[in-house]
Every structure is written in C-alpha cells, then in structure tokens.
Amino acid sequence: MKNAVRFKRTLIASAVLLATSQVYAQTTASAPAAEEQQTVVVLGSRSTAKTALDTAAPVGLINAKDMQSAGPLELGKLLQTLDPSFNFSTTFISDGTDIIRPATLRSLGPDQLLVLVNGKRRHQQALVNVQQTIGRGSAGTDINAIPLSAIHHIEVLRDGAAAQYGSDAIAGVINIVLKSNVNETALSGQIGTTKEGDGDMISGSVNHGWALGENGGFLNVSMEYRKRDETNRATEDSLRVNPPRVTQRIGDSDAKDAYLWWNASLPIDKSSEFYAFGGFSKRKGDSSGFFRSKGDGRNVPAVYPEGFLPNIRTTVSDGSYAFGYRRDLANDWKADISINHGMSELAFREANTINVSYWYEPKPGGGIYAESPRDAETGKLKFNQTTINADVKGPVKLGGEEVFVATGFEYRRDNYQIIAGDPVSYQYGRTNNPLIPIKNQVGGVAASGTQGFPGYTPATAVDEGRHNIALFLDTEYRPFQELLLAGAVRYEKYSDFGSTTTGKLSMRWDPSKQVGVRGSVSSGFRAPGVQQKFYSSVSTNLNQAGELTETLTAREGSAVTTALGIKPLKEETSRNASVGLVLRPAKNMSLAADLYQIKIKDRIVFSSEISPEANGGPIANVLNPLKVGQAQFFTNAVDTTTRGLDIVADHTTRFEGATLVLSGQLGFNKTEVTKRHSPSSLLSGEQLFNQAQVTLIERGQPRKHHVVAADYTFGKWNVNARANYYGEVQGEGFSPLQTWEAKWIADFSGRYNFSKKTSVSVGINNVFDTYPSEWTNGGDFPKLGFKYCWETCPFGVNGRSMYVKFDTAF
C-alpha cells in the first residue's frame, strides 16, 4: 500500500514538473517504417505553417512516432491515451453506443467538437446517443471510422473556432492529416489479449504509395483489418437466478473492423494540382442488452426455460470521398475548390430474442399463436453530408503593411433517414393494435416488439434534410515581428432556422525567443443536428395507471412537443476566452500554460423522461389523450460554463548514443450547469432536465486528466513508459449518487529495431491491473453482476492487457 502511495506521489510530482503541448517531444531516432516526423501544424491559422509552440492558440501535435509507441489500435482510445483534453468514455449495454462510442474535447459534447480530414470537414455519425452515457442526446463524429495506418499526424486545436471553421467547433478542432509517402510498402501486425484471457485482439495493415507523374504527385493507399473478442467483467447474478451465475455481458463487445483509405495528388503543372482523398470502413459489433429471467413477463419459458440475454448486432458502414483543385495565383495568392461527401449508416439486428405479444396473441377463432421469430432486422439510421468549398488566400498591401487575408464560401447539405425494422421488431401483436389485450406468462400486459432493442416503426421513419451557406473572412497582421494579430468573422444561413454571425480575435506576442504570450476571444455557435431535429422512436408500455400506452421519443413539431409547449430547436451560442504563456528556458525544454473559459447558452440536451401525474394534472391532461405514457425530446434547456487550465511541457536530454524525452500534460477542467430553463408553461426547468442529467454533464467526465511519460532511445532499443491520471467521476442515472474514484493507469512498451525499417514491439497496457472502484450505492445493480462503473467509465473495465507488434517496410 505504501509503495502504491509513493508511486502516485512520484507520478504527480513528475506531472507538475514535466507537462507537454505535444504528446511527446521529437527524438533523434527515426521510427521504423515511418515518414519524417511532423514538427509544424496548420490548424488554427490559414497562413504559413507554424511549430506547435508558435501558434496563437494551443495546438497539440501527435506524430507517427507517438502513435507507434502507444498501445491502442482504435483512434479514439489512442487520442485519449496521448491527449488529456480528449475523452473517449467506455460504454456497454448501451445499444449502438457500444460500437460508436462518444468522443469529446474539454469535457463538452461530442457534437461540439469539429473533426477535419486534410483540413476538410468530416461528416457526423448517424447514431444519436439516447442512452444514459456521456454525450447523451448528441450525434458526434465516429472517430474510429478512420484507421491508424492511413494517418501521418494529428493536430488538436484546443480553442473555440466556429468563426474560422464553422458550426460544431465550440470545444475545438481535430485535424487528421493522411499519409502521402511514395515508393514504399509498410506492413504492420499486432496480437494481444487481456490478463483474464479474453478480449483477444488481432490486427493487420498495409500501406503503399505510388508516385504519379514527375512533379511530386502521389497515390497512397491503406488497408487495415482488426478483430476484437468480447471482454466480460460481470459478476454472478444473485437476484434473478438460483443458483447464482453470470447472466450479463459487461465489457467490450465483439467487433470486426475493415478499412480502405486513400490520399492522392496529381499535379497539372508547377502551380496547380488535382487532389482526392477518402475512405470506406465496415465494422460489425456484437453486444447484449439486459438479461430476461425465466419468470420475467418479457420471457417465454417454452422458448427460453432458463431465461435469455438479448443479442444486439450492429453493422456500421462509413464512407467519404473528397476531390478538389488547388492553384497558385499571382502575387503569392492561392485558390482551392473542393467537394466533400460523407455517409454514415448504422444497421441494427436483434438476435436471441422474442416478441412476447406475438407468442401470446389470441387467435380470432380461439387459442393463442404460440410462435415468434427469434431474430429480426430492427431498422437503420443513415446520415449523409455534402460540402462544397471555394476559398482564396494571400497577402494584401495596406499602406505599406502586409496583411494576410483568407476568404471563401461554403455550401453544405445534410440529410437524415430512419428506416423501419421488420414488423415483428416493433408490433404489439400481428395487428399492432394496443387495444387488443395480450397477456404475458405472469398475467400482465405483454411487451411489444423484440426484446433488447425494439425496432423503429413506420411512424418514426423519416427522410429529411436541410442546407446552409457560409461566408468567411480570416486575417492576420504583424505590426512588428514580435506581435501577431488575427481576426475572423463568419456568416452562416440555414434553411430551417435562420442565420448567425460569429467572430474571433487572437494575438501572439513574443517579447523574446524564450517568452511568448497568447490569447483569444471568440463567439461561437452550433446548429442543431438533423439527427436531433428528426430522430424519434416509439414503444408500447404501461403508464402509471396500468394502462397500455406509448412511450415516445418525440421529434420537434410533433403533437407531443407542441402540446407541451416545446419550441423547435435553435442554435447553441458560446463565448470563448483564453490566455496563455509559452516559455522556452532552454533549447531542450519548453513549458506552456493556458487558461480558458467557455460559456454556452441554450445548449441542446435530451430531456428527462416526462410522465403524466398519477392522479391527473396538467401533464396528464396533455399526454393521456395522446396515449403517451412517457415522453422525451431534444430541447434547448440549459446554459453551461466550462473553465479549465492546461499546463504542458517537455524536456529532452541527449547522451552519447541515446536520447531521453521526459514529457507530460496537466489538464484541469470543470463544467457547471448555470441555468435550467423551459419554454413550457407545464414543465419547469428542473422537470425538463433533472438532477441525474445535470450530474452526467457536470461530473460524468474527469475534471482532472494528466499524462506523464518517459521515452528512452539507445542504440537499436526504444523504451516508453506512460501514465494517465483520470480524476473521479460521478453518476446517478441508475442509482443514488455514485462516485468512482480517481485512478492512475500506467502503460509500458519496448521496441527493438532490427534495421531502420523493421522492428518488434512488446507492450503492457494498464501494467498494475487497475480497475474502477466498485459500486457502493448501486442498490440492486451489484446483485445483477455490475461490479464496476456503467454510465461513465473513462478507462473501461478490462484491466491489464498485453500485445506484440511487428512493423516493417520495403
């Protein structure tokens, strides 16, 4: 115990002294099969590229060596391991969120983070997170649809940038830059498992580049395949089965992922080129819902005599392609025209299930049907986005001074579809008539649809879209060499809710080579996603009076939202401010600290469940005539304030034949719900968004996340040790308020380089086999097999894992 305390204190002391704006500083050794390491970034400025320490806003850089030294094979987990401002919460028993997990920046929502690929907007996911997880009510970007084998480096802008890049950039921007190397084939393979012997992982990738023409053209292609077996950390169920046994699946789901990505450029002459990039991925997930015991009214003992665990199978198809034309104009001006299209599709299939109302439905001539399919297609979600950009940039002479100017136009079209599942997946009996009494095995009202994940109905099917246009102006000016002033303004007009204008001012002052001061103020916005505007679902359940009625996730403009006085969604607005200090006390050391504040007004959230009063009342008077037992919907219900501090630094020591890089990052962050408000005269803000949802926003993500690391290269060897500190989190969505304690997670890897292009690596993630703290206020949940966290799990429940990796290039 004393050793563990000393270990924690050592790590904390290291973090205070050694934190970094880049996840790792550069070493003199080159990574096998990797391109020259990236040292500059373009994100946050449309002028010339800068080093990460010379920008007017904090920008983190993750290069090929960083990605190679980390253990995770998923982009989301890798970013969380390397950048403490990024969170990738682990989820399970959460329907589609088990396969598309929420990615966030600075503890805000997944849809408040803008993702770019090669500087172009990346489309969002089709899935709306409606379960009690991080990002509830949002539809962010499916970050895991991009394979690591296609990525050259990643830039993370930790600053509001809606005026520069458009809607969704309230928390910041991630730019993923694809590989462009030629005349080389890189192969990589990795196998791994957990200490418990489950969660076996196998992965393989190939990347190859071809030269096109004689003027620097290229075609770079990446193919990757990954298979992950499930992990299960459920304990025995002592409440529903006798003798007790494990009935749940609590951990990572089975997953099979395949990718094909490309990046290409074809010069026309010395001053112009065509370019294209994009990729396709297909991922299949296999997870489960809640166990139905043999005596449960949702079970049919004749089919499942010992009860059953519904099986949710998901298929995620994701594709994108972009092509454009760049040209150098006169007087150092440049033009860029592009078209970018992306699609996300999530298909649900329920297996090991049953529709109880099908089984017990009375036949017209007497008796019951006593039959039901055991599996069914339960519907699809589809999202499509097309973006057209045209912009120019270059210097302008004003009174003898040079001002860098960038301006342009953007058109974007978003479309959202919900496709109904098979009739058995949603019907209440074959006629889907809730007025026909159908009893289950215990004499209660039979549930409708397939157990586990009821299907989307024809009433919730939708095919709707919207478009918007944007104009922007971005400028940079140096009144003298040590001072940079920058400003941006953006106007956007949407076809469904009007227009908005945002702006940003930033500065960078370097009084000496060792000291830099930076800061920014900006206004931002986020347009409601088409997923939030048009998503709905319905199921048949009992209300508080014991009557069969519908539970509805209602879209805006529906009879329910109109009757409750819930207005159509409008944009979120934000006010961002930051100030930072950059120090270079020596050539081999740097330190940066940035304070920030983000105030968001009219934040779009997913409401609490609204039920009619048991003995009648104004809500009952609205919902009961509509036969709605419970309703929930998207609404602009809260204002929030997020404040934080990032301290980052690195130190490099070079010995004879060796290099030691000490690095780390300290991330402090606090989000508060400052106001709950309701447009309805029937519902208060506290009813519309209850305390459990407030806790999820305020405490569901760690308020402290630190990363410290040591990277040592000597001869043909490289050794890397890294530790992540995750602060405590809280939740009360399924029980009284529960706190999961802060934890350190330590990782270790070693690599031997047979040559400059061939290496073998061995790694251990979570060296000390650390788990989340156990439930203390869980009520019946520990008796059901829930030992650790659920609604908020920053680092998961798998414990220690090991892997071996082989890389080569020729």
Side-chain angles (χ1 to χ4, degrees):
M1 185 67 175
K2 291 182 179 179
N3 290 336
V5 172
R6 282 197 295 268
F7 173 70
K8 287 186 177 182
R9 289 175 178 171
T10 300
L11 287 174
I12 294 172
S14 300
V16 172
L17 295 173
L18 306 165
T20 182
S21 63
Q22 299 172 235
V23 181
Y24 296 104
Q26 304 299 316
T27 71
T28 56
S30 61
E35 300 171 75
E36 183 179 352
Q37 298 304 320
Q38 184 75 14
T39 59
V40 298
V41 296
V42 298
L43 193 61
S45 171
R46 298 182 189 271
S47 64
T48 57
K50 301 175 178 65
T51 68
L53 288 174
D54 291 326
T55 57
V59 180
L61 172 62
I62 298 171
N63 58 43
K65 185 178 186 298
D66 303 331
M67 292 186 285
Q68 188 184 51
S69 66
L73 294 174
E74 304 174 25
L75 178 55
K77 281 296 181 186
L78 180 134
L79 281 169
Q80 183 184 37
T81 300
L82 298 178
D83 191 324
S85 65
F86 184 90
N87 188 45
F88 196 68
S89 184
T90 300
T91 60
F92 35 82
I93 317 181
S94 300
D95 299 337
T97 310
D98 287 0
I99 191 73
I100 303 181
R101 286 171 168 168
T104 67
L105 197 68
R106 288 186 159 177
S107 295
L108 294 179
D111 48 12
Q112 291 159 338
L113 164 64
L114 177 62
V115 177
L116 310 176
V117 176
N118 283 355
K120 305 296 182 181
R121 174 182 285 267
R122 174 80 176 161
H123 63 276
Q124 292 180 319
Q125 67 199 40
L127 174 70
V128 184
N129 298 309
V130 293
Q131 300 297 326
Q132 188 70 14
T133 65
I134 299 303
R136 185 174 187 265
S138 68
T141 300
D142 183 5
I143 202 84
N144 277 352
I146 305 173
L148 298 185
S149 59
I151 300 173
H152 178 262
H153 69 277
I154 303 169
E155 303 165 345
V156 182
L157 172 61
R158 307 182 193 99
D159 196 30
Q164 295 171 288
Y165 299 104
S167 181
D168 311 332
I170 289 178
V173 183
I174 292 178
N175 183 32
I176 297 167
V177 181
L178 303 179
K179 290 180 178 178
S180 58
N181 58 300
V182 299
N183 299 326
E184 183 177 79
T185 300
L187 300 175
S188 181
Q190 181 169 322
I191 59 173
T193 190
T194 69
K195 184 200 71 170
E196 301 297 327
D198 58 5
D200 291 351
M201 175 85 79
I202 182 170
S203 173
S205 68
V206 57
N207 173 269
H208 184 78
W210 294 267
L212 299 180
E214 300 178 353
N215 297 316
F218 66 88
L219 171 62
N220 185 278
V221 176
S222 299
M223 292 185 292
E224 184 170 322
Y225 176 79
R226 182 168 64 243
K227 181 180 183 297
R228 181 190 70 196
D229 292 342
E230 72 169 81
T231 60
N232 192 359
R233 298 296 175 265
T235 54
E236 287 187 341
D237 184 338
S238 61
L239 190 66
R240 296 174 294 187
V241 294
N242 189 20
R245 69 176 190 274
V246 174
T247 59
Q248 293 291 156
R249 291 171 64 186
I250 302 175
D252 290 339
S253 60
D254 282 316
K256 296 178 181 178
D257 310 331
Y259 304 87
L260 173 63
W261 274 69
W262 68 90
N263 188 26
S265 170
L266 179 62
I268 306 304
D269 51 40
K270 292 183 178 180
S271 62
S272 64
E273 66 173 348
F274 287 109
Y275 61 89
F277 62 88
F280 296 98
S281 67
K282 191 167 188 177
R283 291 142 57 210
K284 293 186 176 181
D286 185 324
S287 60
S288 295
F290 268 99
F291 176 73
R292 271 65 166 164
S293 63
K294 61 182 180 181
D296 194 310
R298 296 168 294 179
N299 182 34
V300 177
V303 180
Y304 300 110
E306 298 301 321
F308 68 100
L309 185 66
N311 182 205
I312 302 173
R313 298 177 181 176
T314 51
T315 300
V316 180
S317 302
D318 192 284
S320 64
Y321 58 84
F323 57 91
Y325 174 73
R326 295 191 188 99
R327 184 172 183 83
D328 294 339
L329 305 176
N331 301 318
D332 294 326
W333 277 73
K334 300 177 184 296
D336 187 341
I337 301 173
S338 65
I339 299 176
N340 184 11
H341 179 77
M343 60 76 64
S344 170
E345 177 182 302
L346 177 58
F348 290 96
R349 182 176 186 85
E350 192 71 18
N352 200 49
T353 185
I354 198 166
N355 184 329
V356 177
S357 69
Y358 261 46
W359 186 273
Y360 292 113
E361 182 181 11
K363 289 184 176 180
I368 58 174
Y369 278 100
E371 60 182 18
S372 169
R374 310 297 192 270
D375 63 88
E377 303 289 344
T378 50
K380 291 182 181 180
L381 304 174
K382 291 185 176 182
F383 175 77
N384 291 274
Q385 183 177 89
T386 301
T387 307
I388 300 174
N389 287 99
D391 59 74
V392 294
K393 61 183 182 180
V396 173
K397 294 287 186 179
L398 293 177
E401 300 290 339
E402 187 174 270
V403 179
F404 189 88
V405 176
T407 185
F409 165 84
E410 179 178 287
Y411 170 86
R412 188 166 75 249
R413 172 76 187 182
D414 297 336
N415 195 80
Y416 190 60
Q417 283 183 269
I418 299 177
I419 299 174
D422 295 337
V424 68
S425 73
Y426 59 80
Q427 283 183 341
Y428 177 69
R430 289 158 182 76
T431 61
N432 201 33
N433 185 355
L435 299 179
I436 298 176
I438 302 175
K439 302 295 184 180
N440 58 32
Q441 64 161 324
V442 295
V445 178
S448 64
T450 48
Q451 287 299 306
F453 186 86
Y456 296 106
T457 73
T460 59
V462 69
D463 186 354
E464 295 285 352
R466 67 144 182 253
H467 65 271
N468 73 291
I469 59 171
L471 300 171
F472 72 88
L473 177 66
D474 203 336
T475 61
E476 290 188 7
Y477 170 57
R478 287 189 180 273
F480 46 91
Q481 185 59 35
E482 294 78 15
L483 180 63
L484 172 67
L485 302 176
V489 63
R490 189 180 189 94
Y491 169 81
E492 297 212 24
K493 184 176 181 180
Y494 285 77
S495 60
D496 53 354
F497 72 82
S499 62
T500 185
T501 301
T502 56
K504 181 175 182 177
L505 296 173
S506 55
M507 61 78 67
R508 169 72 184 239
W509 178 46
D510 293 275
S512 70
K513 292 183 179 180
Q514 291 77 34
V515 179
V517 180
R518 60 191 178 191
S520 69
V521 292
S522 64
S523 61
F525 80 103
R526 190 186 73 79
V530 290
Q531 302 94 319
Q532 294 171 320
K533 290 176 67 66
F534 300 118
Y535 181 84
S536 65
S537 62
V538 63
S539 58
T540 303
N541 290 305
L542 292 175
N543 64 12
Q544 294 178 348
E547 299 169 344
L548 196 65
T549 56
E550 290 184 337
T551 299
L552 180 67
T553 297
R555 64 173 67 110
E556 68 172 46
S558 66
V560 169
T561 55
T562 300
L564 289 175
I566 304 301
K567 297 178 181 178
L569 295 175
K570 60 182 180 180
E571 74 273 20
E572 303 172 344
T573 59
S574 70
R575 295 292 183 267
N576 296 52
S578 69
V579 60
L581 178 67
V582 179
L583 301 176
R584 295 184 180 96
K587 290 184 178 180
N588 64 340
M589 183 177 181
S590 65
L591 173 68
D594 291 272
L595 279 165
Y596 63 89
Q597 176 177 277
I598 307 167
K599 288 190 173 184
I600 303 175
K601 185 179 180 181
D602 297 322
R603 186 164 168 174
I604 300 171
V605 294
F606 195 47
S607 76
S608 307
E609 294 177 345
I610 308 302
S611 301
E613 302 89 345
N615 299 317
I619 300 175
N621 292 338
V622 169
L623 296 184
N624 288 342
L626 296 172
K627 292 184 169 54
V628 174
Q630 294 183 116
Q632 48 194 358
F633 33 79
F634 301 92
T635 180
N636 299 87
V638 300
D639 301 340
T640 64
T641 296
T642 299
R643 296 184 177 93
L645 169 65
D646 295 328
I647 305 174
V648 293
D650 64 64
H651 185 279
T652 301
T653 304
R654 288 180 172 85
F655 309 95
E656 185 176 350
T659 303
L660 173 64
V661 180
L662 299 176
S663 61
Q665 303 177 77
L666 293 178
F668 301 90
N669 181 286
K670 183 179 181 180
T671 295
E672 294 180 294
V673 174
T674 56
K675 185 177 181 181
R676 285 181 277 181
H677 42 82
S678 172
S680 171
S681 60
L682 303 179
L683 299 169
S684 67
E686 288 69 24
Q687 288 176 293
L688 196 60
F689 199 71
N690 64 22
Q691 186 57 43
Q693 305 312 319
V694 170
T695 301
L696 187 61
I697 284 183
E698 291 187 338
R699 301 305 309 272
Q701 301 185 71
R703 288 182 170 179
K704 298 177 184 177
H705 183 188
H706 311 321
V707 182
V708 294
D711 188 270
Y712 185 53
T713 300
F714 56 102
K716 294 185 177 182
W717 289 91
N718 174 263
V719 178
N720 185 282
R722 179 189 309 108
N724 275 259
Y725 175 82
Y726 297 96
E728 71 174 28
V729 294
Q730 293 182 331
E732 53 183 317
F734 302 105
S735 67
L737 183 65
Q738 169 75 28
T739 299
W740 287 280
E741 298 171 354
K743 298 283 185 175
W744 280 100
I745 304 295
D747 303 329
F748 174 85
S749 68
R751 185 178 71 247
Y752 180 77
N753 302 316
F754 295 97
S755 67
K756 289 184 178 180
K757 295 187 176 182
T758 301
S759 70
V760 170
S761 304
V762 177
I764 304 175
N765 294 329
N766 196 347
V767 173
F768 299 102
D769 198 29
T770 302
Y771 287 87
S773 51
E774 298 183 11
W775 285 67
T776 56
N777 283 335
D780 285 337
F781 276 94
K783 300 176 184 178
L784 300 175
F786 288 81
K787 185 176 182 179
Y788 305 115
C789 54
W790 185 12
E791 63 182 298
T792 171
C793 297
F795 58 87
V797 296
N798 288 340
R800 182 189 302 131
S801 63
M802 298 74 68
Y803 66 89
V804 177
K805 184 180 181 183
F806 175 77
D807 294 283
T808 189
F810 52 87

